Amino acid sequence: MAIKTVFTTGEAAKICKVSQQTIIRCFDNGQLKGFRVPGSKFRRIPREQLFVFMRDNGIPTDSLETGKRKVLVVDDDRDLVELIVSVLEDDGRFETRVANNGFEAGMMVKDYRPDLIVLDVMLPDINGREVCVRVRGDKSLSNVHIICISGMVERDKIAELMEAGADDFLQKPFDTDVLISRMSRLLEVESIAA
């Protein structure tokens, strides 16, 4: 996958996890260097300028360096975790980390700052709904997407998860292609599947 060298304001906003308006404002007031496309009002930001802006403003630059979206897989079923991680790594657009329980997940979310969490609802130490509530309660994690996975399919439980902040729900067992297409939609990355 070729690494992009120039970004639109929308792409820069996603990488920095801020609104597009913020990027445009920083561009227009000179905090973020770039150029305008000749004959148009479009702004473009070279990779190195975006890197400097992110570093100067304390925004983690790892997503810019790899260009990959960060995914945290939280499940105590080691076989399923291995399968998901292997499929995501093979895809090439995702960087993954794993937590086997809610406590570990809570610690990792803070440090790793994933773009998306694939979350098993039935963890040994905490339920998925509680994890959703905690993530949604932290303003610094407002851009994190959550896909809950579980073998349970009680409609009211799924509704509770969505109310607690989950973005999507997949019933186990699921097809990994379905997981990737749902992740791609939430992260607004192009789906590779035909």
Side-chain angles (χ1 to χ4, degrees), residues 2 9 74 92 106 137 139:
T9 52
V74 186
K139 292 279 174 273

Side-chain angles (χ1 to χ4, degrees), residues 69-136:
R69 306 313 285 271
K70 301 197 298 191
V71 179
L72 176 61
V73 180
V74 186
D75 200 321
D76 59 334
D77 176 343
R78 292 188 190 282
D79 292 339
L80 180 62
V81 167
E82 260 178 50
L83 172 68
I84 293 173
V85 168
S86 145
V87 167
L88 295 182
E89 302 272 319
D90 288 349
D91 180 284
R93 295 174 298 166
F94 306 100
E95 174 194 309
T96 53
R97 297 250 175 107
V98 173
N100 297 117
N101 58 52
F103 177 75
E104 221 176 284
M107 303 298 288
M108 287 181 82
V109 166
K110 288 273 190 223
D111 294 336
Y112 183 51
R113 307 196 89 63
D115 295 298
L116 185 138
I117 302 171
V118 177
L119 174 67
D120 179 22
V121 176
M122 310 302 258
L123 293 167
D125 58 342
I126 187 173
N127 73 39
R129 186 183 166 283
E130 185 59 34
V131 175
C132 290
V133 167
R134 288 185 187 176
V135 169
R136 292 296 171 239

Side-chain angles (χ1 to χ4, degrees), residues 5-23:
T5 53
V6 177
F7 298 91
T8 64
T9 52
E11 289 166 339
K14 281 204 184 75
I15 290 167
C16 294
K17 296 185 167 59
V18 297
S19 75
Q20 189 170 358
Q21 285 339 101
T22 300
I23 292 290

